[in-house]
Amino acid sequence: MANEYKKSMNLPSTSFPMRASLATREPERLKVWRENNVYEMARKKNAGHDKFVLHDGPPYANGPIHIGHAMNKVSKDIINRYWMMQGRDVPYVPGWDCHGQPIEHKVEEKVGTAKFNEMPTAEIREMCNKFAVENIELQKSGFRRLGVLGDWDHPYLTLYHQHDAADIEVFKAMFDKGMIYRGRKPVHWCKHCHTALAEAEIEYGDETSPSIFVRFELTSKPAGLESFDGPVDFIIWTTTPWTIPSDQAVSLKPGESYVAVEHDGRAEVMLEALAPKCCEEFGWDYTPVQVNGEPYVVPAETFYHLHYKQPVFDGIEGVALLADYVGVDDGTGIVHNSPGHGADDYYVCVKEGMDICMPVDDDGKFYVGDEFGTGGPFSGMDTDEANPHVIEFLRERGTLVAEKKITHSYPHCWRCHQPVLFRATDQWFVSMDKTDLRGQALDAIEHKVDWYPARAQNRIHAMVEGRPDWCISRQRNWGVPIPSFTCQDCGETVMNDATLDAVIKLFHEKGSDAWFTDEPASYLGEACTCTKCGGHNLKANKDILDVWWDSGVSWKAVCEYRDELRYPADMYLEGSDQHRGWFHSSLLTSVGANGEPPYKAVVSQGFTLDGQGRKMSKSLGNVIDPNKVCDEMGADILRLWVASTDTSYDVAVDHEILARTSDAYRRFRNTFRFLLGELEGQFDPATDLVPVDEMESYDRLVLARACEMHEKVSEAYAGYRFYQVYRALYDFVVTELSNGYLNATKDRMYCDEPEARSRRSAQTCWYYLLEMLLRDLQPILAFTTDEVMAHLPESARDGQQFAALLDWWQAPLTHEQVEELLPEYNVMLEARGAFTKANEAALAAGTVSEKTSQATRCVLTLPAEQLELVRGAEDMLAEAFVCSEVELAEGDELACEVLPAHGEKCPRCWNWRTLGTDGLCCRCSHAVALTGKDA
């Protein structure tokens, strides 16, 4: 537009800055939020309404926050802000997991192992407590910087007295139901951390192990081979040679056929289906023993309860058993059983009433001795160290058939990342089946909980369905003790309702530290009595609860205990690893104690990876520090990145991805600024709003489309699909608003008279768009939308100062009205796309010479059904296409011909029109005369 007419134009004017400067402005806004207690204001505003309780899964208090933390907390804040805007009372209590081996390990590193081992437990616990609290403050500041609203001044910590007591209250409830027992069973044992581990504390990684085939000589002949002259052997296969000294049995697959192969005068028994392959591997000819002219092939049951010579200890015999777990794809179809070192072995041997041999100590070394149950020839050796010695021992005895190295998946400790071993020890367990805890938990998973995404249900269902009894005891210092006592007179383990109630009372008053400092007699009172011998000399045992129990009872310690919360919670949200962690332990403890799940819904998220799909690690240099991103780009960029990704899968993030997110952010920010440019100081909805039925047709159609978009956004938020919110709004803003409607209607905005009804109609639509985008993006762009608030007229703020306190947008059109208008909008949108292509073709062909579409007109051909929807709307279509004129015609399919415009270019609005004597189009001539601002 010519400069001489600028003063007569309604040009954009807003104090909303183009440059976001988030890194500097966000901390200032956070300060204002804290000074005004915005979280408390939101609670007060919706007080008395239905609650929405998202119970915070406690991150581990160990170092500064990482990008996974950021994704987790931002996701929770998006959900909470959405429900706040829906009018729900949303109390959010952040928490921290404070106990566990990693913190204890940090203390051990600090003081040195030698000194650590000499320190009293109470001193170790004091140092662990101090470490945890320091890291909580570090993480808290990182979470607040992300704009997460919550009760940060009153979080929950698993080290609080109340939490300690809740641990035992839940323990007692399950103990009284018969769900908790003490038993000697093989559990994952970390010889480096010196503690038992639950399945949830195991990670799997490839290990290269020695694999051996060994002959076990039978002490009696099986049926059918009584006349065979030579010895008869079982050929077994194992990848853990160090378990051979504790062998007590072999297992064969029931119902399968086994063959005896003759080699060097011996009959070697193997699974018939695997025998040819094994013989080839051993370098043997496959020559089955012949009995009455037929190969000796018999069912596994033939060998049941036959005995064989223990391969290491002379005079000891093992027994042949049947077990369904025996594999038929690898090995020989006969597995050796060391029930002290394997769960399957344990169960099949216990069923036979066998005593369990355990020759390995806490350090993973064989006990010293010569008798069965010690290391014998391998006394004092570490299990890994013993492997080659066992192999050589068997070779010298002539019982080693073959050996080879194999790479296989093997369990590792998730803390020290070292391989673990199965080791039978006395531990405390939660029974999954004695009182049908498994069945109750599976029923809750299937029928009482909503899972997001739906496939998350299958994952936790499989884990609960297949898990063994839960080993809940640990041999560490930093945690909540298992409330058991030992009678020092007779050795009886003492635990009953009276002792449990006394411990609960003690922990409420003094916390679990008192367990390690106070004498049992001082708090047990009359309960300090052995139920077996009647003595009063009880000693507190040292095992502590699995840290997953500790965090898993937060439904009790937090949701039940805190008045502002409720149990069960509406939602738990964490990473997918918590299917075997917090989701899992919370479910089992809640169902076990109360018979119901602790949550109504669960949102499961993936992990954060780098842009190449690799796990983040400092050694690779691919770590994204959320604190650094906030300092350089701003928290709203991180929040928008979270919203832009489908977090139900693993998600990628690197500097390039964040840069693209920053570009998308600018699109949203510029749209806010563009809308404010024609509204701030120029439009007050209290006086200037045009009724919907009086709006220009183009404005009304776009408003209908905005209402439809808002419905989709609402559904996506309610389904916790933030990426669909982002994609819908981004595409709408970029494609349909910035490049479409806003670009088209700026002519009316800039060039109409300020009070013209047509301009007020456009402003009304722009205002509704601003209202909608402000609210739809508030849960995501928490800082930016709050910044927008200051630039709105007072009547547009719902009486609020902060965006977090806004109500959800109430569409000015009903669903039925939207459905009625959308067909015409869709025809217009499709036709605009056809015009754009036709205009490009016309320019390329030279049909039109002016590059601006305002210098064109078009003939739009539409099928009858579409034509009927836009008949009489030529002016609206011309405005939408940003051309001078549209002529409608009927045809079989949509087509568009672009031609040069009639008339001349108006120097004020640049539209091609018939110009008057003053050189302006009629509209501009009138506007200039009215304002008197032609210069």
Side-chain angles (χ1 to χ4, degrees), residues 311-332:
V312 175
F313 292 94
D314 295 334
I316 302 297
E317 292 186 354
V319 63
L321 305 174
L322 302 174
D324 288 328
Y325 72 84
V326 176
V328 296
D329 297 321
D330 296 302
T332 65

Side-chain angles (χ1 to χ4, degrees), residues 85 672 710 717 767 770-779 785 789 792 796-798 806-810:
M85 297 180 79
F672 278 131
H710 180 66
Y717 269 124
Y767 168 72
L770 178 60
E771 264 203 327
M772 184 201 80
L773 291 174
L774 178 65
R775 287 157 178 78
D776 285 6
L777 284 168
Q778 190 276 139
T785 53
M789 285 287 286
L792 295 177
R797 299 179 189 174
D798 289 351
L806 292 172
D807 292 327
W808 199 237
W809 191 55
Q810 298 301 310

Side-chain angles (χ1 to χ4, degrees), residues 142-414:
F143 291 145
R144 297 185 86 149
R145 177 63 185 87
L146 294 169
V148 179
L149 294 179
D151 193 356
W152 294 104
D153 294 330
H154 306 97
Y156 79 88
L157 311 182
T158 59
L159 53 73
Y160 284 163
H161 296 356
Q162 178 175 285
H163 208 111
D164 290 346
D167 279 7
I168 311 307
E169 289 173 341
V170 175
F171 184 98
K172 180 190 175 190
M174 296 176 68
F175 178 78
D176 286 347
K177 291 182 179 181
M179 293 180 175
I180 295 177
Y181 69 93
R182 185 166 173 80
R184 185 175 178 82
K185 296 172 61 176
V187 296
H188 290 295
W189 182 270
C190 180
K191 60 189 179 183
H192 303 278
C193 298
H194 299 99
T195 186
L197 301 171
E199 185 65 36
E201 297 171 303
I202 295 298
E203 60 185 20
Y204 288 84
D206 287 343
E207 282 286 320
T208 299
S209 303
S211 161
I212 60 173
F213 296 87
V214 186
R215 60 167 56 97
F216 288 4
E217 183 179 339
L218 276 71
T219 57
S220 60
K221 299 289 180 67
L225 288 181
E226 295 90 347
S227 61
F228 186 78
D229 290 337
V232 179
D233 306 315
F234 290 128
I235 303 297
I236 68 94
W237 176 63
T238 182
T239 58
T240 52
W242 63 267
T243 61
I244 294 290
S246 57
D247 175 86
Q248 293 182 257
V250 297
S251 289
L252 295 84
K253 183 81 166 184
E256 294 290 335
S257 297
Y258 285 77
V259 64
V261 176
E262 187 169 0
H263 179 73
D264 284 350
R266 307 178 76 98
E268 313 288 19
V269 177
M270 293 172 278
L271 186 72
E272 182 187 23
L274 292 171
K277 174 185 173 184
C278 289
C279 287
E280 182 180 355
E281 193 163 353
F282 304 158
W284 298 355
D285 292 329
Y286 179 59
T287 54
V289 173
Q290 300 294 307
V291 177
N292 298 325
E294 297 290 334
Y296 180 80
V297 178
V298 295
E301 288 72 11
T302 305
F303 304 96
Y304 185 48
H305 279 173
L306 292 182
H307 288 75
Y308 61 89
K309 297 177 182 179
Q310 213 281 349
V312 175
F313 292 94
D314 295 334
I316 302 297
E317 292 186 354
V319 63
L321 305 174
L322 302 174
D324 288 328
Y325 72 84
V326 176
V328 296
D329 297 321
D330 296 302
T332 65
I334 306 176
V335 298
H336 98 95
N337 295 160
S338 288
H341 293 301
D344 290 330
D345 299 3
Y346 172 84
Y347 287 114
V348 73
C349 290
V350 165
K351 187 177 180 182
E352 291 289 322
M354 298 167 59
D355 293 330
I356 305 304
C357 171
M358 171 41 57
V360 176
D361 67 14
D362 289 0
D363 295 324
K365 295 182 178 180
F366 284 103
Y367 292 117
V368 175
D370 296 324
E371 68 279 3
F372 183 67
T374 69
F378 319 106
S379 293
M381 290 185 188
D382 178 87
T383 52
D384 293 329
E385 176 192 0
N387 271 332
H389 295 278
V390 172
I391 295 171
E392 188 57 34
F393 176 89
L394 297 172
R395 180 180 285 112
E396 290 174 359
R397 282 209 163 188
T399 57
L400 182 72
V401 176
E403 69 167 310
K404 64 179 180 179
K405 298 287 187 182
I406 67 163
T407 299
H408 60 150
S409 181
Y410 194 81
H412 291 64
C413 172
W414 77 335

Side-chain angles (χ1 to χ4, degrees), residues 651-679:
V651 297
V653 59
D654 58 17
H655 294 293
E656 183 180 341
I657 290 170
L658 289 174
R660 291 200 298 269
T661 305
S662 186
D663 289 339
Y665 169 82
R666 279 191 286 273
R667 293 277 197 162
F668 287 121
R669 185 178 184 88
N670 288 343
T671 300
F672 278 131
R673 190 169 187 273
F674 194 71
L675 291 169
L676 286 169
E678 289 297 316
L679 297 174

Side-chain angles (χ1 to χ4, degrees), residues 18-84:
M18 179 181 294
R19 292 183 59 84
S21 301
L22 295 176
T24 56
R25 288 188 182 136
E26 286 177 346
E28 297 169 0
R29 195 160 294 278
L30 276 174
K31 184 172 180 291
V32 174
W33 290 357
R34 293 184 68 173
E35 290 171 348
N36 287 272
N37 298 315
V38 170
Y39 166 73
E40 289 81 359
M41 291 175 70
R43 291 287 321 281
K44 185 176 181 180
K45 171 178 174 284
N46 294 335
H49 297 186
D50 287 345
K51 288 183 184 292
F52 177 83
V53 176
L54 194 164
H55 179 40
D56 191 34
Y60 200 68
N62 188 14
I65 67 170
H66 52 66
I67 196 67
H69 285 136
M71 184 174 82
N72 176 280
K73 282 296 192 288
V74 166
S75 297
K76 292 172 180 175
D77 192 54
I78 289 173
I79 291 171
N80 282 339
R81 286 172 178 267
Y82 167 75
W83 286 113
M84 286 177 186

Side-chain angles (χ1 to χ4, degrees), residues 618-633:
K618 292 181 180 178
S619 60
L620 289 175
N622 62 350
V623 173
I624 298 293
D625 180 355
N627 291 310
K628 189 174 181 182
V629 174
C630 288
D631 289 343
E632 294 177 353
M633 305 177 77

